[in-house]
Amino acid sequence: MSAQTDLPTADPDAARAAMEHCYEQGWSDGLPLVPATRPLVDEFLATVDRRPDEVIGALEHLDRSVTVEVAAINAAMAGCRPEYFPVVLAAWEAVQRDRSAKGGGWQSTSGPSPLLVVNGPVRTELGFNSTGGVFGPGFRPNMTIARSIGLIVRNALGVVPHGFEQATQGLPGRWQVCIAENEEESPWEPLSVEGGVPAGTSAVSAMLTRTVEYVDNRHTADPEQLLADFADTLSRTGALIFRNAPAGIVFCPEHAQMLAGAGMSKADVRAWLVERCGRSKADLARVGKDGVGDNGVRFAEGTPSDAVDPLFAADGPEVLPIAVAGARNAGISMVVRVFAGWSASSVPVEGRTTPSAPSPSDPAQRSAS
Amino acid sequence: MATLADVLDPTGRSSARATDATLAPRPPDLSGLRIGLLENTKHNAALLLEELAGRLEREHGAVAVLRRTKTAFALPMPDELREEFLAECDVVLVGVGDCGSCSASAVADGIAFERCGVPAAVICSDAFTVTASSMAAVQGAPDYAFLTTAHPVAVLGPEAVAERAEQLLPGVLATVTDQAGHGRSA
C-alpha cells in the first residue's frame, strides 16, 4: 500500500458503505465499484494530455454524452489503476470507430460486447495477459479496462439493461473481454499493424462481437484440414442474419505457427477462408434463410440449390480480422462473431506518463480541471 | 476526511430535460386526409402499415400519399425525411418498433411529428414497451402514448399481419383523430 496520509479512509467498513452507496445510485454493473473521489480521478486525468471536458462520445438520440473526465470516473470505478487510463481512452476511441457503436448497437437485442485487442509495449508495462486463459479473468488490466467501457455505456450513455439496453440474452463475458495479442509467439504482424499503427507502438483495436466459439483441433498437421475446421464453424447458419457476415479469429500460437510453418501469411489464411466459407442454398433453405431481401436481410424463400452463398462480403481484415493470443499448450483457437465488422483502424495509446512509472506524485503537475 | 457525498457521479448528467407534452391538433375524422407511412425495414413493418393504410382508405376516406423507409432504423429520422412528411401529409403512421433501438427511435419520430403539428400513430411490439417509454421520457414527453401489438411481428405470415392491422385499426383512429375510435374495442 502507498503511504497515503488519509489512512482512516481505508476503514473496510467505510469502503463497504461506499460500495453500497454506488449500488444505490444505480451505477454498478452488478459487481462492487471503487468509489471515485476527486483525488483519485485527478490521478487518472494526470496520465493524459487531454482536456477533462472534451467530449469523446455521444448518443445524441438519447441526449447523452461522455467526456474525458466522466470516462476517468468510470475507469476509476471499474477498478483501473490510474496508469491504465491512456489505454482506456484508446480503447474507447477504438470502440467509437465501430460504426454500430454510434448507431443503435448498445440498444440491440443481440446485446453485442466489445472485443478489445491490445498491442505493443504497453502489454508488458501494465501487465496484460496475452497468453494462457486470455479470454478469462485473473488479470487486472484486462478485466478492468474492458469493464470501464461497459460502465461508460451504462452510466454516461444511459444504456442500462431492461431500459435502453434490450439484449435478448446478452452474452457471456460482456464488458469483460480485453485481450493482449501474444506478439512474442505470433508468426504474423500484430493486429494493430493491419489497423494502421506501426509495429512497436502500443495500440488498441476494438470491434463489437456477439460471442466467441472455440475450434479445438489437435488432430491434424495438415494446414488445409485445420482451416477447413475453422471454415465449418465460421459458416454455421445460426450466425447468419444478412446476406453476408463478418467474423474474426483469435488463433492460439500452435495453430498460427502451424499455418505459418506451411508458408501461409495472415493474408493467405484469410484468402483461403474467404474463398471457401459459405453455405449452399440447400443448407440455407433447410433453416429458412435462403432468400435475401432488398434490405439485405435473409428470409425463407424456399428455393434450395447447390449454389453457394459466400459468407464474406469482402476479403480484407475488416470482414475477417485475425489475431494471435493464448498459451502455446494446445490447438485451441477462438472464432469471433463480429457484430458489424472491424473498422480496421487501431488507436495508438497516448499517455503523458510512462505507463510503467508510478502515478504522478506532484499534484501541481496534474491537469487543471 | 472524504464522505459519501464526495463520490463522483459517473453519469455526467447535469439536469433533466424540460418536459413538453405537445400533441398536434386532431382532426375529427380522416376523410380526405393525406396519410404518410414511415416504415423502418423491420420484417413486416411495411406490410403492416400498408394494411392499416388500406383500411383507412377504404373505410375512412383517407389517402395514402407518401411511403418512406428509414434505413438507419436505430436512430431518429433525418430532418429531410421529417420535412418531407410534414410537407405532404396530414397524419403519419410509424412502425414497427420491433427491436431494441428502433422501438425507441420510432417513439422519438412520433413525438417529433406531434411537435411539428402532424398527428402520428407509433406502433411498437409489446416486447419493447420499456425502451419505447424510456425514449419518450428522454424526449421530454414521458406520457406519450404509442400503440402496441403482440410480439413477435417479424415471423408472421401475410394473413396474420392483416389480422394485426385489423386489431390495431381502432387504436390508430383513436390516436390520430379527436373522436373516432373511442368506445370501440381494441
Side-chain angles (χ1 to χ4, degrees):
Chain A
M1 295 293 292
S2 60
Q4 297 288 321
T5 53
D6 53 349
L7 274 178
T9 59
D11 174 0
D13 290 331
R16 176 170 169 269
M19 287 176 191
E20 291 298 333
H21 170 74
C22 293
Y23 278 114
E24 287 162 15
Q25 306 305 309
W27 297 336
S28 170
D29 52 14
L31 294 172
L33 296 173
V34 174
T37 57
R38 186 77 259 164
L40 175 59
V41 171
D42 282 346
E43 284 190 46
F44 280 69
L45 294 172
T47 66
V48 295
D49 190 17
R50 305 280 290 269
R51 284 173 53 104
D53 62 355
E54 179 189 347
V55 174
I56 55 173
L59 290 182
E60 288 168 11
H61 60 291
L62 301 185
D63 192 29
R64 301 294 287 261
S65 63
V66 53
T67 62
V68 168
E69 176 164 278
V70 167
I73 295 170
N74 282 281
M77 286 186 160
C80 288
R81 291 181 57 82
E83 59 267 32
Y84 301 173
F85 190 49
V87 185
V88 172
L89 287 184
W92 176 255
E93 172 59 24
V95 168
Q96 291 300 102
R97 292 183 187 180
D98 187 314
R99 61 185 169 85
S100 57
K102 289 185 185 172
W106 303 134
Q107 299 164 254
S108 171
T109 47
S110 49
S113 181
L115 166 67
L116 307 176
V117 181
V118 179
N119 282 109
V122 75
R123 296 170 306 131
T124 46
E125 289 168 350
L126 294 182
F128 281 94
N129 183 25
S130 64
T131 60
V134 71
F135 277 93
F139 297 84
R140 184 170 176 178
N142 302 67
M143 289 298 282
T144 58
I145 290 170
R147 189 187 187 201
S148 300
I149 304 300
L151 289 180
I152 291 170
V153 170
R154 175 190 180 88
N155 290 321
L157 299 186
V159 184
V160 176
H162 299 189
F164 282 122
E165 197 256 74
Q166 287 287 306
T168 304
Q169 294 186 313
L171 58 140
R174 196 176 196 203
W175 314 122
Q176 294 171 24
V177 180
C178 173
I179 67 175
E181 187 157 19
N182 187 343
E183 296 177 21
E184 291 70 20
E185 295 182 294
S186 170
W188 298 319
E189 71 278 15
L191 182 68
S192 53
V193 170
E194 287 188 296
V197 175
T201 298
S202 296
V204 185
S205 309
M207 62 203 80
L208 270 61
T209 64
R210 291 195 59 170
T211 196
V212 292
E213 48 194 317
Y214 66 88
V215 174
D216 188 330
N217 192 313
R218 307 175 237 189
H219 305 71
T220 179
D222 179 335
E224 294 214 73
Q225 285 183 338
L226 177 64
L227 285 177
D229 212 1
F230 281 90
D232 181 74
T233 295
L234 286 162
S235 302
R236 76 173 173 85
T237 61
L240 273 178
I241 311 174
F242 305 109
R243 178 191 304 274
N244 304 106
I249 300 174
V250 177
F251 281 109
C252 65
E254 182 176 320
H255 283 162
Q257 288 169 12
M258 184 199 298
L259 295 168
M264 300 186 84
S265 66
K266 205 192 275 193
D268 293 334
V269 169
R270 184 178 293 121
W272 195 98
L273 291 166
V274 166
E275 185 180 333
R276 291 165 180 81
C277 287
R279 294 299 284 261
S280 71
K281 287 286 192 188
D283 286 347
L284 293 164
R286 203 171 294 126
V287 299
K289 293 180 173 178
D290 55 317
V292 181
D294 293 338
N295 57 5
V297 180
R298 289 188 169 275
F299 68 98
E301 189 170 39
T303 53
S305 76
D306 292 334
V308 171
D309 277 7
L311 178 67
F312 295 106
D315 59 4
E318 67 280 3
V319 297
L320 181 53
I322 293 173
V324 177
R328 59 179 186 83
N329 60 6
I332 303 172
S333 294
M334 208 66 98
V335 162
V336 181
R337 292 294 166 193
V338 178
F339 185 55
W342 180 39
S343 64
S345 177
S346 304
V347 180
V349 175
E350 293 175 348
R352 177 183 282 177
T353 56
T354 303
S356 56
S359 52
S361 55
D362 180 3
Q365 307 237 327
R366 289 177 194 157
S367 152
S369 56
Chain B
M1 188 169 133
T3 71
L4 293 183
D6 297 314
V7 178
L8 300 181
D9 182 338
T11 69
R13 304 202 83 176
S14 49
S15 59
R17 181 180 274 202
T19 59
D20 174 5
T22 302
L23 290 182
R26 263 52 190 162
D29 59 60
L30 297 181
S31 180
L33 296 190
R34 302 164 300 167
I35 306 285
L37 309 181
L38 177 55
E39 70 95 4
N40 62 355
T41 77
K42 290 292 162 179
H43 195 60
N44 281 333
L47 180 58
L48 180 62
L49 296 187
E50 281 298 340
E51 289 285 346
L52 277 167
R55 284 165 175 75
L56 295 177
E57 288 187 318
R58 291 191 300 273
E59 303 167 20
H60 299 275
V63 189
V65 297
L66 185 64
R67 296 166 171 85
R68 288 292 179 265
T69 297
K70 186 170 73 169
T71 50
F73 60 77
L75 302 174
M77 64 187 156
D79 291 347
E80 315 83 73
L81 191 57
R82 185 186 64 229
E83 292 304 320
E84 191 178 9
F85 277 98
L86 295 176
E88 299 188 28
C89 304
D90 303 304
V91 170
V92 182
L93 308 185
V94 180
V96 173
D98 193 28
C99 75
S101 55
C102 66
S103 49
S105 71
V107 165
D109 294 340
I111 291 170
F113 283 129
E114 296 287 349
R115 288 178 177 162
C116 293
V118 171
V122 176
I123 300 160
C124 292
S125 143
D126 67 5
F128 294 101
T129 55
V130 172
T131 192
S133 297
S134 298
M135 176 54 94
V138 164
Q139 296 296 325
D143 298 323
Y144 180 76
F146 52 89
L147 297 165
T148 61
T149 188
H151 195 81
V153 175
V155 298
L156 300 178
E159 298 79 12
V161 173
E163 195 176 310
R164 293 298 183 85
E166 194 64 38
Q167 292 165 356
L168 281 162
L169 187 62
V172 170
L173 285 167
T175 299
V176 299
T177 65
D178 198 18
Q179 53 189 38
H182 287 305
R184 297 168 65 165
S185 61

Short mmCIF file of all heavy atoms in Angstrom, two decimals, chain A residues 208-245:
data_model
loop_
_atom_site.label_atom_id
_atom_site.label_comp_id
_atom_site.label_asym_id
_atom_site.label_seq_id
_atom_site.Cartn_x
_atom_site.Cartn_y
_atom_site.Cartn_z
N LEU A 208 -17.26 -4.69 -32.03
CA LEU A 208 -18.38 -5.28 -31.31
C LEU A 208 -18.56 -6.72 -31.77
O LEU A 208 -18.43 -7.02 -32.97
CB LEU A 208 -19.67 -4.48 -31.55
CG LEU A 208 -19.92 -3.34 -30.55
CD1 LEU A 208 -18.82 -2.31 -30.61
CD2 LEU A 208 -21.27 -2.69 -30.81
N THR A 209 -18.85 -7.58 -30.80
CA THR A 209 -18.97 -9.00 -31.11
C THR A 209 -20.22 -9.58 -30.46
O THR A 209 -20.77 -9.00 -29.52
CB THR A 209 -17.75 -9.78 -30.56
OG1 THR A 209 -17.74 -9.69 -29.14
CG2 THR A 209 -16.46 -9.22 -31.10
N ARG A 210 -20.64 -10.72 -30.99
CA ARG A 210 -21.85 -11.37 -30.45
C ARG A 210 -21.52 -12.58 -29.61
O ARG A 210 -22.36 -13.04 -28.84
CB ARG A 210 -22.80 -11.74 -31.57
CG ARG A 210 -23.39 -10.51 -32.21
CD ARG A 210 -24.58 -10.84 -33.06
NE ARG A 210 -25.64 -11.49 -32.28
CZ ARG A 210 -26.86 -11.70 -32.74
NH1 ARG A 210 -27.18 -11.33 -33.95
NH2 ARG A 210 -27.75 -12.30 -31.99
N THR A 211 -20.38 -13.17 -29.79
CA THR A 211 -19.90 -14.22 -28.91
C THR A 211 -18.58 -14.70 -29.47
O THR A 211 -18.12 -14.23 -30.51
CB THR A 211 -20.88 -15.41 -28.79
OG1 THR A 211 -20.52 -16.21 -27.64
CG2 THR A 211 -20.85 -16.31 -30.02
N VAL A 212 -17.96 -15.63 -28.78
CA VAL A 212 -16.82 -16.36 -29.34
C VAL A 212 -17.10 -17.84 -29.18
O VAL A 212 -17.85 -18.26 -28.30
CB VAL A 212 -15.49 -15.99 -28.63
CG1 VAL A 212 -15.10 -14.56 -28.93
CG2 VAL A 212 -15.59 -16.20 -27.14
N GLU A 213 -16.56 -18.63 -30.08
CA GLU A 213 -16.77 -20.09 -30.00
C GLU A 213 -15.48 -20.80 -30.44
O GLU A 213 -14.83 -20.42 -31.39
CB GLU A 213 -17.96 -20.51 -30.86
CG GLU A 213 -17.97 -19.92 -32.25
CD GLU A 213 -19.33 -20.08 -32.93
OE1 GLU A 213 -19.91 -21.16 -32.82
OE2 GLU A 213 -19.77 -19.10 -33.57
N TYR A 214 -15.14 -21.85 -29.71
CA TYR A 214 -13.83 -22.44 -29.88
C TYR A 214 -13.78 -23.39 -31.08
O TYR A 214 -14.78 -24.00 -31.46
CB TYR A 214 -13.42 -23.20 -28.62
CG TYR A 214 -14.27 -24.41 -28.32
CD1 TYR A 214 -13.95 -25.66 -28.86
CD2 TYR A 214 -15.38 -24.29 -27.50
CE1 TYR A 214 -14.74 -26.76 -28.59
CE2 TYR A 214 -16.17 -25.40 -27.23
CZ TYR A 214 -15.85 -26.63 -27.77
OH TYR A 214 -16.63 -27.71 -27.51
N VAL A 215 -12.61 -23.49 -31.65
CA VAL A 215 -12.28 -24.55 -32.59
C VAL A 215 -11.13 -25.32 -31.96
O VAL A 215 -10.03 -24.79 -31.82
CB VAL A 215 -11.87 -23.99 -33.97
CG1 VAL A 215 -11.38 -25.12 -34.88
CG2 VAL A 215 -13.05 -23.26 -34.61
N ASP A 216 -11.42 -26.54 -31.53
CA ASP A 216 -10.42 -27.38 -30.88
C ASP A 216 -9.95 -28.39 -31.90
O ASP A 216 -10.68 -29.31 -32.26
CB ASP A 216 -11.05 -28.06 -29.66
CG ASP A 216 -10.01 -28.80 -28.81
OD1 ASP A 216 -9.00 -29.28 -29.38
OD2 ASP A 216 -10.22 -28.90 -27.59
N ASN A 217 -8.76 -28.19 -32.41
CA ASN A 217 -8.20 -29.14 -33.37
C ASN A 217 -6.76 -29.42 -33.02
O ASN A 217 -5.86 -28.64 -33.32
CB ASN A 217 -8.33 -28.61 -34.81
CG ASN A 217 -8.03 -29.70 -35.82
OD1 ASN A 217 -7.04 -30.43 -35.68
ND2 ASN A 217 -8.87 -29.83 -36.84
N ARG A 218 -6.60 -30.58 -32.36
CA ARG A 218 -5.25 -31.09 -32.05
C ARG A 218 -5.06 -32.40 -32.81
O ARG A 218 -4.48 -33.33 -32.33
CB ARG A 218 -5.12 -31.32 -30.55
CG ARG A 218 -5.50 -30.09 -29.74
CD ARG A 218 -5.47 -30.37 -28.26
NE ARG A 218 -6.77 -30.08 -27.67
CZ ARG A 218 -7.01 -30.07 -26.36
NH1 ARG A 218 -6.04 -30.31 -25.51
NH2 ARG A 218 -8.21 -29.81 -25.91
N HIS A 219 -5.68 -32.44 -33.99
CA HIS A 219 -5.87 -33.70 -34.66
C HIS A 219 -5.14 -33.83 -35.98
O HIS A 219 -5.03 -34.92 -36.52
CB HIS A 219 -7.37 -33.92 -34.92
CG HIS A 219 -8.20 -33.83 -33.68
ND1 HIS A 219 -8.44 -32.64 -33.02
CD2 HIS A 219 -8.83 -34.79 -32.96
CE1 HIS A 219 -9.20 -32.88 -31.96
NE2 HIS A 219 -9.44 -34.16 -31.90
N THR A 220 -4.72 -32.70 -36.53
CA THR A 220 -4.11 -32.78 -37.86
C THR A 220 -2.89 -31.88 -37.94
O THR A 220 -2.81 -30.86 -37.25
CB THR A 220 -5.12 -32.37 -38.95
OG1 THR A 220 -4.47 -32.45 -40.23
CG2 THR A 220 -5.61 -30.94 -38.74
N ALA A 221 -1.96 -32.29 -38.79
CA ALA A 221 -0.80 -31.45 -39.10
C ALA A 221 -0.94 -30.86 -40.50
O ALA A 221 -0.02 -30.22 -41.00
CB ALA A 221 0.49 -32.25 -39.00
N ASP A 222 -2.11 -31.08 -41.09
CA ASP A 222 -2.36 -30.58 -42.45
C ASP A 222 -3.04 -29.21 -42.35
O ASP A 222 -4.15 -29.11 -41.85
CB ASP A 222 -3.27 -31.58 -43.18
CG ASP A 222 -3.61 -31.14 -44.60
OD1 ASP A 222 -3.57 -29.91 -44.87
OD2 ASP A 222 -3.93 -32.01 -45.42
N PRO A 223 -2.38 -28.16 -42.81
CA PRO A 223 -2.95 -26.82 -42.64
C PRO A 223 -4.31 -26.65 -43.31
O PRO A 223 -5.16 -25.90 -42.81
CB PRO A 223 -1.91 -25.89 -43.27
CG PRO A 223 -1.03 -26.77 -44.09
CD PRO A 223 -1.06 -28.13 -43.47
N GLU A 224 -4.53 -27.34 -44.42
CA GLU A 224 -5.84 -27.20 -45.07
C GLU A 224 -6.93 -27.90 -44.28
O GLU A 224 -8.08 -27.42 -44.22
CB GLU A 224 -5.78 -27.72 -46.51
CG GLU A 224 -4.86 -26.86 -47.37
CD GLU A 224 -5.35 -26.77 -48.80
OE1 GLU A 224 -6.35 -26.09 -49.05
OE2 GLU A 224 -4.71 -27.40 -49.68
N GLN A 225 -6.61 -29.04 -43.67
CA GLN A 225 -7.60 -29.67 -42.80
C GLN A 225 -7.92 -28.76 -41.61
O GLN A 225 -9.07 -28.62 -41.20
CB GLN A 225 -7.10 -31.02 -42.30
CG GLN A 225 -7.15 -32.12 -43.36
CD GLN A 225 -6.71 -33.47 -42.82
OE1 GLN A 225 -6.01 -33.55 -41.81
NE2 GLN A 225 -7.14 -34.53 -43.49
N LEU A 226 -6.88 -28.16 -41.08
CA LEU A 226 -7.10 -27.25 -39.94
C LEU A 226 -8.00 -26.09 -40.34
O LEU A 226 -8.99 -25.77 -39.67
CB LEU A 226 -5.75 -26.73 -39.43
CG LEU A 226 -5.84 -25.70 -38.29
CD1 LEU A 226 -6.44 -26.33 -37.05
CD2 LEU A 226 -4.46 -25.13 -37.98
N LEU A 227 -7.70 -25.47 -41.48
CA LEU A 227 -8.51 -24.33 -41.91
C LEU A 227 -9.93 -24.75 -42.26
O LEU A 227 -10.88 -23.98 -42.05
CB LEU A 227 -7.84 -23.62 -43.10
CG LEU A 227 -6.62 -22.78 -42.73
CD1 LEU A 227 -5.98 -22.18 -43.99
CD2 LEU A 227 -7.01 -21.66 -41.76
N ALA A 228 -10.08 -25.97 -42.77
CA ALA A 228 -11.43 -26.46 -43.07
C ALA A 228 -12.26 -26.58 -41.79
O ALA A 228 -13.48 -26.37 -41.80
CB ALA A 228 -11.35 -27.80 -43.79
N ASP A 229 -11.59 -26.90 -40.69
CA ASP A 229 -12.30 -26.97 -39.41
C ASP A 229 -12.80 -25.57 -39.01
O ASP A 229 -13.92 -25.41 -38.52
CB ASP A 229 -11.36 -27.55 -38.35
CG ASP A 229 -12.10 -28.35 -37.29
OD1 ASP A 229 -13.34 -28.49 -37.38
OD2 ASP A 229 -11.42 -28.86 -36.37
N PHE A 230 -11.96 -24.58 -39.22
CA PHE A 230 -12.39 -23.20 -38.96
C PHE A 230 -13.53 -22.79 -39.89
O PHE A 230 -14.50 -22.15 -39.47
CB PHE A 230 -11.21 -22.23 -39.12
CG PHE A 230 -10.30 -22.21 -37.94
CD1 PHE A 230 -9.21 -23.06 -37.87
CD2 PHE A 230 -10.54 -21.36 -36.86
CE1 PHE A 230 -8.37 -23.06 -36.76
CE2 PHE A 230 -9.71 -21.35 -35.75
CZ PHE A 230 -8.63 -22.20 -35.70
N ALA A 231 -13.41 -23.17 -41.15
CA ALA A 231 -14.43 -22.78 -42.13
C ALA A 231 -15.80 -23.31 -41.73
O ALA A 231 -16.82 -22.65 -41.92
CB ALA A 231 -14.03 -23.27 -43.53
N ASP A 232 -15.81 -24.53 -41.15
CA ASP A 232 -17.09 -25.11 -40.74
C ASP A 232 -17.74 -24.28 -39.64
O ASP A 232 -18.93 -23.96 -39.70
CB ASP A 232 -16.86 -26.55 -40.27
CG ASP A 232 -18.16 -27.21 -39.87
OD1 ASP A 232 -18.93 -27.55 -40.78
OD2 ASP A 232 -18.41 -27.35 -38.66
N THR A 233 -16.97 -23.92 -38.64
CA THR A 233 -17.53 -23.10 -37.55
C THR A 233 -17.91 -21.71 -38.06
O THR A 233 -18.98 -21.19 -37.74
CB THR A 233 -16.51 -23.00 -36.40
OG1 THR A 233 -16.32 -24.30 -35.85
CG2 THR A 233 -17.00 -22.06 -35.31
N LEU A 234 -17.03 -21.13 -38.87
CA LEU A 234 -17.32 -19.79 -39.40
C LEU A 234 -18.62 -19.77 -40.20
O LEU A 234 -19.35 -18.78 -40.18
CB LEU A 234 -16.16 -19.33 -40.30
CG LEU A 234 -14.88 -18.90 -39.60
CD1 LEU A 234 -13.70 -18.90 -40.58
CD2 LEU A 234 -15.05 -17.52 -38.98
N SER A 235 -18.93 -20.87 -40.88
CA SER A 235 -20.03 -20.88 -41.83
C SER A 235 -21.35 -21.35 -41.24
O SER A 235 -22.31 -21.55 -41.98
CB SER A 235 -19.68 -21.78 -43.02
OG SER A 235 -18.49 -21.34 -43.65
N ARG A 236 -21.44 -21.50 -39.96
CA ARG A 236 -22.69 -22.05 -39.41
C ARG A 236 -23.86 -21.10 -39.64
O ARG A 236 -23.71 -19.87 -39.61
CB ARG A 236 -22.54 -22.42 -37.94
CG ARG A 236 -22.54 -21.26 -36.98
CD ARG A 236 -22.57 -21.78 -35.54
NE ARG A 236 -22.42 -20.69 -34.60
CZ ARG A 236 -23.45 -19.94 -34.17
NH1 ARG A 236 -24.68 -20.18 -34.59
NH2 ARG A 236 -23.24 -18.96 -33.33
N THR A 237 -25.01 -21.69 -39.91
CA THR A 237 -26.16 -20.88 -40.35
C THR A 237 -26.75 -20.03 -39.24
O THR A 237 -27.35 -18.99 -39.50
CB THR A 237 -27.27 -21.78 -40.92
OG1 THR A 237 -27.72 -22.68 -39.90
CG2 THR A 237 -26.77 -22.56 -42.12
N GLY A 238 -26.63 -20.47 -38.01
CA GLY A 238 -27.26 -19.74 -36.92
C GLY A 238 -26.77 -18.31 -36.78
O GLY A 238 -27.49 -17.44 -36.28
N ALA A 239 -25.56 -18.07 -37.23
CA ALA A 239 -24.98 -16.73 -37.10
C ALA A 239 -25.40 -15.81 -38.24
O ALA A 239 -25.11 -14.61 -38.20
CB ALA A 239 -23.45 -16.81 -37.04
N LEU A 240 -26.06 -16.36 -39.24
CA LEU A 240 -26.41 -15.55 -40.43
C LEU A 240 -27.72 -14.81 -40.22
O LEU A 240 -28.74 -15.42 -39.89
CB LEU A 240 -26.55 -16.46 -41.65
CG LEU A 240 -25.28 -16.77 -42.44
CD1 LEU A 240 -25.64 -17.73 -43.57
CD2 LEU A 240 -24.66 -15.50 -43.00
N ILE A 241 -27.70 -13.53 -40.43
CA ILE A 241 -28.93 -12.73 -40.45
C ILE A 241 -29.06 -12.08 -41.82
O ILE A 241 -30.11 -12.08 -42.43
CB ILE A 241 -28.89 -11.58 -39.43
CG1 ILE A 241 -28.46 -12.07 -38.07
CG2 ILE A 241 -30.25 -10.90 -39.36
CD1 ILE A 241 -28.29 -10.90 -37.10
N PHE A 242 -27.96 -11.53 -42.27
CA PHE A 242 -27.94 -10.78 -43.52
C PHE A 242 -27.29 -11.61 -44.63
O PHE A 242 -26.90 -12.75 -44.42
CB PHE A 242 -27.16 -9.47 -43.31
CG PHE A 242 -27.70 -8.64 -42.19
CD1 PHE A 242 -26.99 -8.49 -41.00
CD2 PHE A 242 -28.94 -8.03 -42.29
CE1 PHE A 242 -27.49 -7.73 -39.95
CE2 PHE A 242 -29.46 -7.27 -41.25
CZ PHE A 242 -28.73 -7.13 -40.07
N ARG A 243 -27.15 -10.99 -45.78
CA ARG A 243 -26.55 -11.68 -46.92
C ARG A 243 -25.18 -12.24 -46.55
O ARG A 243 -24.86 -13.38 -46.82
CB ARG A 243 -26.41 -10.72 -48.10
CG ARG A 243 -25.74 -11.34 -49.32
CD ARG A 243 -25.39 -10.26 -50.36
NE ARG A 243 -26.56 -9.48 -50.75
CZ ARG A 243 -27.42 -9.82 -51.71
NH1 ARG A 243 -27.24 -10.94 -52.39
NH2 ARG A 243 -28.45 -9.06 -52.00
N ASN A 244 -24.35 -11.40 -45.93
CA ASN A 244 -23.00 -11.81 -45.53
C ASN A 244 -22.82 -11.54 -44.03
O ASN A 244 -23.65 -10.88 -43.42
CB ASN A 244 -21.95 -11.03 -46.31
CG ASN A 244 -22.12 -11.18 -47.81
OD1 ASN A 244 -22.57 -10.25 -48.48
ND2 ASN A 244 -21.76 -12.33 -48.34
N ALA A 245 -21.75 -12.07 -43.49
CA ALA A 245 -21.46 -11.84 -42.08
C ALA A 245 -19.95 -11.72 -41.88
O ALA A 245 -19.20 -12.52 -42.42
CB ALA A 245 -22.02 -12.97 -41.23
#
